[in-house]
Amino acid sequence: VDKNVDISPNNPQLEKAANLLKQNEVVAFPTETVYGLGANALSDDAVEKIFEAKGRPSDNPLIVHIAELSQLEEIVTFIPEKAKILMNTFWPGPLTILFNRKPNVLSEKVTAGMETVGIRMPDHPIALQIIHQSNLPIAAPSANRSGRPSPTIAEHVLEDLDGRIAGIVNGGDTGVGVESTVIDCTQDIPMILRPGGVSKEEIEQVIGEIAIDPGLENKNIIRPKSPGMKYTHYAPDAPVYLVEGTTNFLQELVRNKQNDGMKVGVIATEETQKEYVADAVISCGKRGDLHSVAHSLYDTLRAFNNLDVDIIFAETFPLDGIGLAIMNRLEKAAGHRWIHQ
Ligand code: TXA
Ligand code: MG
């Protein structure tokens, strides 16, 4: 997060962004997770522009971003006790909570026909200020072309959406680096539909037992409850393989492919990158600090598109804490292709 950005209400950039949103245009802005592509959630026209710019399937609902708790009551029918605890603990922050929505408030296109709506209050001064100044609930998916890794710097947004949107507010790089956790609080036992910036362990500490959508684990057998989780996503142009094994084992895979005449990339970590000889080796952070991996993951995946590689081997990570979100995104980038030692 760029601490130098002027977030006073008279910053002309933020004022312009808020005005564009009021005029039902789409504007990209930073949040603490990834850049979002915002639009007035009350307007069919505005929301339609998001789907067009991203090339997003219309059956995939959008998250609504708010800056004040008072906005929530206008949108949802009921705030369950456990949701209140989660809001008090993690908002503003990387947690999206599903509520039952009031009819005829939001554009139907936001929720793609679902009875629930996902809401979050982002923990980023620019996002909060823009939402506040627009005085609207803001629908905002990640600001990437559908299927590409989510943007963590303004340049990623330009790469994907230049010429397709009204503007970008550049706030430097985002903090968390992976998207918010999506949790359904309309059931007795809340269920995580997408792992993200707030971990399962952190949530359980405040509300006790929660479930994880079984559709996340049994990829092809059960349909995930979150429509977005069924699409291929985050994939670089070259195929990615997840490797479970030692660095020597991974290096052997590299050598074999190079012997076949292929150019090979490796997604490594600070601790291991020196152990590989390949056509491109990129560290996605420190294995000893999984938050640093989450922070750099999408930038790493994008970087391979500017490198001449035919195949990518990626190290894998433990599933604890933010590791669950990291592995969920890596699995999607790899289309669930694994190589075990
Ligand atoms: O961190 C984030 O959440 C970012 C920033 C910009 O806030 N936004 C984001 O939005 O990741 P998007 O649209 O890329 O992902 C939203 C995910 C999708 O997987 C979507 O299917 C799911 O949330 N989702 C949204 N509303 C839902 C609902 N009512 N029921 C089930 N899943 C829902
Ligand atoms: Mg997205």
Side-chain angles (χ1 to χ4, degrees):
V1 177
D2 183 352
K3 298 278 188 282
N4 297 321
V5 166
D6 167 19
I7 52 144
S8 70
N10 349 338
N11 174 338
Q13 259 209 75
L14 304 190
E15 197 177 358
K16 194 165 177 194
N19 283 335
L20 285 168
L21 290 171
K22 282 196 244 180
Q23 292 156 20
N24 294 338
E25 295 297 335
V26 290
V27 178
F29 55 82
T31 78
E32 81 282 26
T33 56
V34 300
Y35 274 75
L37 183 61
N40 175 3
L42 305 177
S43 155
D44 282 347
D45 261 10
V47 173
E48 183 58 39
K49 287 179 188 167
I50 291 180
F51 284 93
E52 258 168 44
K54 283 182 59 91
R56 180 178 178 110
S58 61
D59 68 346
N60 193 3
L62 307 177
I63 294 170
V64 174
H65 295 63
I66 58 173
E68 279 102 32
L69 284 178
S70 57
Q71 293 182 282
L72 183 64
E73 287 143 37
E74 292 166 30
I75 302 170
V76 309
T77 54
F78 173 67
I79 306 175
E81 212 45 49
K82 286 178 185 169
K84 279 186 195 152
I85 298 172
L86 292 177
M87 288 155 50
N88 284 334
T89 312
F90 299 110
W91 280 7
L95 184 70
T96 296
I97 302 175
L98 300 194
F99 297 91
N100 285 313
R101 68 179 168 91
K102 281 186 182 159
N104 308 320
V105 178
L106 298 174
S107 159
E108 294 276 330
K109 291 176 195 277
V110 170
T111 46
M114 304 185 85
E115 292 305 306
T116 53
V117 57
I119 303 198
R120 88 176 188 101
M121 188 186 287
D123 187 15
H124 193 293
I126 294 179
L128 288 173
Q129 185 57 37
I130 291 173
I131 299 165
H132 175 76
Q133 253 177 279
S134 73
N135 199 21
L136 291 167
I138 298 296
S142 49
N144 50 285
R145 286 298 288 265
S146 219
R148 304 252 298 149
S150 299
T152 54
I153 52 175
E155 288 76 7
H156 294 161
V157 180
L158 268 184
E159 242 170 54
D160 280 16
L161 298 176
D162 193 12
R164 307 176 69 89
I165 61 178
I168 307 179
V169 180
N170 188 346
D173 65 344
T174 59
V176 180
V178 294
E179 301 87 341
S180 62
T181 301
V182 177
I183 189 163
D184 183 354
C185 279
T186 64
Q187 344 182 7
D188 265 352
I189 298 184
M191 183 184 279
I192 291 186
L193 305 188
R194 176 176 75 178
V198 176
S199 72
K200 177 170 189 275
E201 294 88 335
E202 287 169 309
I203 294 172
E204 279 176 337
Q205 263 178 23
V206 294
I207 58 167
E209 186 198 357
I210 56 169
I212 291 204
D213 180 3
L216 290 182
E217 274 135 39
N218 305 311
K219 296 91 204 174
N220 304 314
I221 310 162
I222 308 173
R223 210 186 139 104
K225 291 194 192 336
S226 174
M229 288 280 101
K230 72 175 187 273
Y231 297 107
T232 359
H233 218 209
Y234 313 120
D237 299 334
V240 178
Y241 288 82
L242 304 181
V243 180
E244 181 162 272
T246 60
T247 50
N248 282 338
F249 176 71
L250 197 154
Q251 179 62 50
E252 225 171 277
L253 296 171
V254 172
R255 202 162 296 131
N256 288 340
K257 289 296 173 194
Q258 286 181 324
N259 287 342
D260 293 345
M262 290 176 112
K263 292 228 191 312
V264 186
V266 175
I267 298 178
T269 51
E270 297 290 298
E271 291 91 336
T272 58
Q273 60 177 337
K274 289 207 178 62
E275 300 184 36
Y276 301 114
V277 181
D279 297 280
V281 179
I282 303 184
S283 162
C284 64
K286 290 199 197 77
R287 185 161 280 284
D289 172 15
L290 289 184
H291 287 279
S292 73
V293 174
H295 177 82
S296 303
L297 185 65
Y298 291 146
D299 190 51
T300 303
L301 290 171
R302 274 178 185 264
F304 278 104
N305 285 345
N306 302 319
L307 296 166
D308 180 24
V309 296
D310 305 309
I311 186 169
I312 300 164
F313 293 115
E315 290 186 1
T316 52
F317 298 91
L319 298 174
D320 317 311
I322 192 109
L324 193 66
I326 293 169
M327 285 309 299
N328 171 266
R329 307 308 192 271
L330 269 177
E331 285 233 34
K332 296 188 79 179
H336 307 292
R337 284 177 292 241
W338 279 86
I339 300 175
H340 296 274
Q341 187 165 10

